Amino acid sequence: MKKKVTIHDLAKMLNIDSSTVSRALANSPRVKQKTRDLIQAKAKELGYSRNVVASNLRSKRTLTIGVVVPYISRYFFSTVIAGIEEHATENGYQVIICQSHDQIEREQQMIQTLLSYQVDGLLVSISMETENTDHLKHVLNQEVPLVLFDRKCNGLSLPTIHIDDFQMGYEATKHLIDQGCRRIVHFTGSDQISIYHDRKQGYCQALKDHGLVVSEELILTSALKEADGKLLAQQVLDMPLRPDGIFCANDLTAISAMQLLIEKGVKIPEDIAFVGFSNEPLGNYLSPALTSVNQNPKEIGKVAMQTLLGELSTKPSPDTDRLVPAHLVVRASSLKKG
Amino acid sequence: MKKKVTIHDLAKMLNIDSSTVSRALANSPRVKQKTRDLIQAKAKELGYSRNVVASNLRSKRTLTIGVVVPYISRYFFSTVIAGIEEHATENGYQVIICQSHDQIEREQQMIQTLLSYQVDGLLVSISMETENTDHLKHVLNQEVPLVLFDRKCNGLSLPTIHIDDFQMGYEATKHLIDQGCRRIVHFTGSDQISIYHDRKQGYCQALKDHGLVVSEELILTSALKEADGKLLAQQVLDMPLRPDGIFCANDLTAISAMQLLIEKGVKIPEDIAFVGFSNEPLGNYLSPALTSVNQNPKEIGKVAMQTLLGELSTKPSPDTDRLVPAHLVVRASSLKKG
C-alpha cells in the first residue's frame, strides 16, 4: 500500500512552514495567491487528500475553553475559575481545567494537550518557572486566542487581566506606615514573577514617599510556600533590630509566619503589625484576623473570559492589558491604632 | 457525490448495536465470528471505509485521564485531585479536570467531552443530582475504564473508592456520647446521596447502641451549603429543648452554624459540643478548633488512580469497592471533658 502524503511531507518538500501549507490547502486568503497555487499544485501532483475529520474539527467551534493555572487548590485560582465558568456557561462554553504545579514542563504539556483537543481559546496563569515562551508563541501561531491572567509574561504582547500590584503593594505598605510602623519587613517571591516584582516596587515607593529608607536587609525573598512562613518568621526573630511591621506578598506565608511569631510570644499587631495579600477566607477566621488585599478573583475570571470572547469574535479588543480594581481589607492584624 | 456510509447506517440496516458494528469492523474477537462476518460483508457491499484517524486515536493510548468533581474549590476534592495527579504523573499520565457544580447536566456534558478527547480513563465523583446513570453506562459501553470516588452510585456496579461513612458517622456520634452528650442533633444532606445516608445511619446506630432514642426532630436535612449553617443553627436555637451536641455531615456547614451559635452566646463545647466532617484546614484555625473526620483525601486520589491503572492493564482488580481508612481528629469544639 502506498504511504499517504501528509502536510508535513509537502512542507518538507517545498521547504515551506507546515502551518502555511495547511492554510494554503484550506484556501486561506492569509497565504499569498502565488504560494497557494504552488502548494495546491504540488498536493494534487502527489495525490494528497485532506484529512476531513481533522479539518472539520479545526474549522468548527468546539465551544470549549482550556484553563491552565498553577494550583486549583489556591483560593485565588479556584475563584478566578468560578468567574470564568460562570461567564463561559452563560455564553454556551465548557471549561476544561489543568494544573501546572508551577512547572514550565507541565504547562507546556498541558497547553499542547488542550490544543490537540481543538479548544476555541486558552486562559492561562503562567507558572513561576515560565521564562521560555515558545509554547505560548506556538498557541498564537495556531491562531488560537490566548488570554493571560494574574501573572504577566515578559517579552510577549498578550492580553493580560490583572490587578495593579504596584498600587496595592503601595497601599498595603502605606497602611502600615499610617499605623505607626517605621521598620517594615517585606516577604517577597522571585523578582522574575511580575506580581512579586510589582508588589515589591510598590512597597519601596511607599517607604520613599514617607521618608523611610529602603533597606535590602528588610526584603526577604523565598518561594512563598506555607513552610517558608516559619523560616521567614525565624529570620525576623533573629534580626538585631526587631521590625514593627511585615507586608507579605501572599496570605499562606503570612499566616504561617504569624503563627510562629505568636507561638514565640510576639504580640500582633502591638509588636509587629501584619498585612498579607490575596484575602484567603482563612485569614478572616484567624485571631487576630489578617489584613489583606482582595484581588477580586471572580471579577478577574469574568473579565478574562469576556476578553477571550472578544478575541473569538472578529473584533478583538485593542487593549492588551486590563486592570481589575482591588482593595485593601483592613482587619485586626494591622490595627495598632484602634 | 454519494453520501459516505457510516457505522450508524450499518447498525440501523442490520439492526445491530453500533458499538458491536464498530468492534466487528475493528475485527474484535469480542464479537462472534458469525456476526463479524455478516457486518464486514455488509460494510464491503456498501463501500464503507473506516475512518482511520478516529480508529487510530481510539486504539492508541492518549496517556490522559479525565477527572470530574462537583467543585474544585472544596478542600476534599482538590486534595483528592492532588493525590490522583501525583500518582498519574509517576505513571506518565496527564490529568484533565472538570467541575460539575453538582449538576447532572454539566456532568453529562463534561463526560461526553472527555470521551471525545479519547481519555484513557475517567475518575468521577458524581453530582448530588445524579440519579439517571445513562451517561455512566455510555462510558462503559465505550469500553473506557471508569472509577468513582467518594459518592457511590446506586444500581451500577463500578469500582468505587470511599471511606466507611457509616463507621465514621458512628465514631463521631459515639465520641459526643462519650463526652456526655445525651441530646445530639444531626445535620445531614439528601438521603439519596450515599455518603449522607451512611453517615446518618452511623449516627442512628451509635445512639441505639448507647441506649439513646433516635428522634426525627433532631435530624435536620439541608443542601449543606455554607449558608445553610446559619439557618440550621437558628432552628437549633428555636428548639424547645436545647441539644447538647451537634454532629454535622460536613465542615463548611458546621463552621457557619458554630459561628452563629457563638454570636448568640452559646458556649462551645460547654453548652453544645460540635463535630464536623471532612477536616477542612480552616477548622484547625477556629476558636474553638473543630473536631472533624479526616477522610484521607490524598490517599483516596492515589487509590482511585491505582485502581484505574489496574483497569487499564489487562488485569482489572476483582473488587468493586475499596475502602480507605479515615479517622476522627478530636479538637476543642467537642471536648467537654478535658
Side-chain angles (χ1 to χ4, degrees):
Chain A
M1 205 178 107
K2 226 174 93 183
K3 205 175 150 270
K4 236 181 130 182
V5 179
T6 68
I7 288 183
H8 287 286
D9 299 332
L10 287 168
K12 222 168 148 186
M13 257 175 258
L14 294 164
N15 199 21
I16 294 176
D17 188 75
S18 56
S19 61
T20 308
V21 173
S22 166
R23 280 196 209 102
L25 294 171
N27 213 22
S28 160
R30 296 189 46 160
V31 180
K32 277 188 214 130
Q33 186 65 52
K34 209 178 134 186
T35 315
R36 249 189 285 165
D37 290 345
L38 173 74
I39 294 168
Q40 291 177 359
K42 193 75 180 174
K44 206 172 165 187
E45 180 193 324
L46 296 174
Y48 167 82
S49 67
R50 255 176 104 199
N51 181 331
V52 181
V53 175
S55 306
N56 276 350
L57 282 173
R58 174 84 54 188
S59 61
K60 252 193 256 167
R61 288 273 166 102
T62 58
L63 295 175
T64 305
I65 296 297
V67 176
V68 184
V69 295
Y71 293 101
I72 54 168
S73 56
R74 297 264 173 85
Y75 165 74
F76 174 77
F77 291 118
S78 68
T79 313
V80 169
I81 292 172
I84 291 171
E85 289 207 348
E86 207 171 288
H87 202 63
T89 306
E90 282 168 16
N91 287 278
Y93 281 85
Q94 280 185 321
V95 176
I96 306 289
I97 307 156
C98 300
Q99 306 191 81
S100 69
H101 295 252
D102 259 330
Q103 294 164 7
I104 186 168
E105 201 187 317
R106 286 210 198 196
E107 180 177 293
Q108 290 164 335
Q109 284 173 355
M110 299 314 318
I111 287 179
Q112 194 49 50
T113 299
L114 291 168
L115 286 178
S116 78
Y117 292 162
Q118 317 281 350
V119 292
D120 290 339
L122 283 167
L123 292 165
V124 178
S125 188
I126 57 174
S127 87
M128 287 219 190
E129 291 182 3
T130 302
E131 291 178 35
N132 179 329
T133 58
D134 286 350
H135 58 305
L136 302 178
K137 287 180 195 148
H138 178 66
V139 175
L140 299 179
N141 287 340
Q142 302 276 310
E143 296 174 53
V144 174
L146 170 61
V147 172
L148 303 185
F149 58 91
D150 192 35
R151 302 176 186 170
K152 284 166 268 181
C153 185
N154 297 322
L156 260 188
S157 170
L158 279 171
T160 306
I161 319 305
H162 57 95
I163 62 161
D164 190 335
D165 285 288
F166 175 89
Q167 178 65 25
M168 296 320 295
Y170 188 98
E171 283 185 30
T173 310
K174 181 177 180 302
H175 166 70
L176 287 170
I177 298 169
D178 289 345
Q179 291 294 316
C181 300
R182 289 297 170 265
R183 192 171 166 74
I184 301 168
V185 160
H186 180 42
F187 295 165
T188 185
S190 159
D191 213 40
Q192 300 296 318
I193 317 288
S194 62
I195 55 174
Y196 300 130
H197 173 86
D198 293 356
R199 289 171 198 174
K200 189 176 81 180
Q201 293 304 317
Y203 155 86
C204 293
Q205 192 61 47
L207 294 183
K208 284 179 204 155
D209 286 356
H210 293 82
L212 297 172
V213 175
V214 174
S215 158
E216 283 302 322
E217 290 158 35
L218 297 184
I219 301 175
L220 306 183
T221 307
S222 73
L224 290 180
K225 304 227 177 215
E226 206 173 335
D228 293 310
K230 308 275 178 220
L231 302 172
L232 293 165
Q234 193 55 56
Q235 285 184 56
V236 166
L237 290 170
D238 294 342
M239 285 179 174
L241 251 172
R242 183 71 58 88
D244 52 12
I246 296 177
F247 164 44
C248 178
N250 87 11
D251 271 1
L252 289 182
T253 313
I255 289 166
S256 123
M258 225 165 84
Q259 276 196 304
L260 187 90
L261 291 174
I262 290 169
E263 272 170 45
K264 299 284 183 180
V266 175
K267 284 198 184 101
I268 293 168
E270 296 82 353
D271 300 339
I272 301 182
F274 244 96
V275 178
F277 210 106
S278 72
N279 203 35
E280 292 273 343
L282 179 50
N284 202 12
Y285 289 94
L286 297 178
S287 185
L290 180 63
T291 294
S292 191
V293 173
N294 181 346
Q295 294 170 275
N296 232 330
K298 207 157 181 185
E299 183 67 13
I300 290 180
K302 190 184 163 189
V303 174
M305 188 64 207
Q306 275 175 340
T307 307
L308 191 65
L309 288 172
E311 298 275 318
L312 282 165
S313 76
T314 42
K315 8 176 186 64
S317 70
D319 317 303
T320 57
D321 265 33
R322 283 183 68 180
L323 280 181
V324 167
H327 64 278
L328 191 69
V329 184
V330 176
R331 299 197 185 96
S333 73
S334 64
L335 281 182
K336 288 200 188 210
K337 305 175 175 173
Chain B
M1 204 177 108
K2 227 173 91 181
K3 204 175 150 272
K4 236 180 130 183
V5 179
T6 69
I7 288 183
H8 288 286
D9 299 332
L10 288 168
K12 222 167 148 186
M13 257 175 259
L14 294 165
N15 199 20
I16 294 177
D17 188 74
S18 57
S19 61
T20 308
V21 173
S22 167
R23 280 194 208 107
L25 293 170
N27 213 21
S28 160
R30 295 190 46 163
V31 181
K32 279 190 214 129
Q33 185 67 51
K34 208 178 140 186
T35 316
R36 248 190 287 165
D37 289 345
L38 172 73
I39 293 169
Q40 290 178 359
K42 193 75 179 171
K44 207 173 164 186
E45 179 194 327
L46 296 173
Y48 167 81
S49 69
R50 254 176 105 197
N51 180 332
V52 180
V53 175
S55 306
N56 275 349
L57 282 172
R58 175 85 51 192
S59 61
K60 251 193 254 167
R61 288 271 165 103
T62 58
L63 295 176
T64 306
I65 295 299
V67 176
V68 183
V69 295
Y71 293 101
I72 54 167
S73 56
R74 298 265 173 85
Y75 166 75
F76 174 76
F77 291 119
S78 69
T79 313
V80 169
I81 292 172
I84 290 171
E85 288 208 349
E86 206 172 289
H87 203 63
T89 307
E90 282 168 15
N91 287 278
Y93 281 85
Q94 280 184 322
V95 177
I96 307 289
I97 307 155
C98 299
Q99 306 191 81
S100 70
H101 295 251
D102 259 330
Q103 294 164 7
I104 185 168
E105 201 188 317
R106 286 211 198 197
E107 179 177 292
Q108 289 164 335
Q109 284 173 354
M110 299 313 319
I111 287 178
Q112 194 49 49
T113 299
L114 291 167
L115 285 178
S116 78
Y117 293 163
Q118 317 281 348
V119 292
D120 290 339
L122 282 167
L123 292 165
V124 177
S125 188
I126 57 174
S127 87
M128 286 218 192
E129 292 182 3
T130 302
E131 290 177 36
N132 179 328
T133 57
D134 286 349
H135 58 305
L136 302 177
K137 287 180 196 147
H138 178 66
V139 174
L140 298 180
N141 287 340
Q142 301 276 311
E143 295 173 55
V144 174
L146 170 60
V147 172
L148 303 185
F149 58 90
D150 194 33
R151 302 176 186 168
K152 283 165 268 180
C153 184
N154 297 323
L156 259 188
S157 170
L158 279 170
T160 305
I161 319 304
H162 58 95
I163 62 161
D164 190 335
D165 285 288
F166 174 90
Q167 178 65 26
M168 296 321 295
Y170 188 98
E171 283 186 28
T173 310
K174 180 176 181 302
H175 166 70
L176 287 170
I177 298 168
D178 290 346
Q179 291 294 317
C181 299
R182 288 296 170 266
R183 191 169 166 76
I184 301 170
V185 160
H186 179 43
F187 295 166
T188 185
S190 159
D191 214 40
Q192 300 296 318
I193 318 286
S194 62
I195 55 173
Y196 300 130
H197 173 87
D198 293 356
R199 288 170 199 175
K200 189 176 81 179
Q201 293 305 317
Y203 155 85
C204 294
Q205 192 61 48
L207 293 183
K208 284 179 203 155
D209 287 356
H210 295 82
L212 297 172
V213 176
V214 175
S215 157
E216 283 303 321
E217 290 158 36
L218 298 184
I219 301 176
L220 306 183
T221 306
S222 74
L224 289 181
K225 304 227 177 213
E226 208 173 332
D228 294 309
K230 308 275 179 224
L231 302 172
L232 293 165
Q234 193 54 56
Q235 286 184 56
V236 166
L237 289 170
D238 294 342
M239 285 179 174
L241 251 173
R242 184 71 58 88
D244 52 11
I246 296 178
F247 163 44
C248 177
N250 86 12
D251 271 0
L252 288 182
T253 311
I255 290 167
S256 122
M258 225 165 84
Q259 276 195 304
L260 187 90
L261 291 174
I262 290 169
E263 272 170 46
K264 300 283 181 182
V266 175
K267 285 201 183 99
I268 292 167
E270 296 82 354
D271 299 338
I272 301 181
F274 244 98
V275 178
F277 210 106
S278 72
N279 204 33
E280 291 274 342
L282 180 50
N284 201 13
Y285 288 94
L286 298 177
S287 185
L290 180 63
T291 295
S292 193
V293 173
N294 181 347
Q295 294 171 276
N296 231 330
K298 207 157 182 185
E299 182 68 13
I300 290 179
K302 191 184 161 187
V303 174
M305 188 64 207
Q306 275 174 341
T307 307
L308 192 65
L309 288 172
E311 298 276 318
L312 283 165
S313 75
T314 40
K315 4 172 191 63
S317 69
D319 316 304
T320 58
D321 265 33
R322 283 183 67 181
L323 280 181
V324 167
H327 64 278
L328 191 70
V329 183
V330 177
R331 300 197 185 97
S333 73
S334 64
L335 281 181
K336 290 200 187 212
K337 304 176 175 173

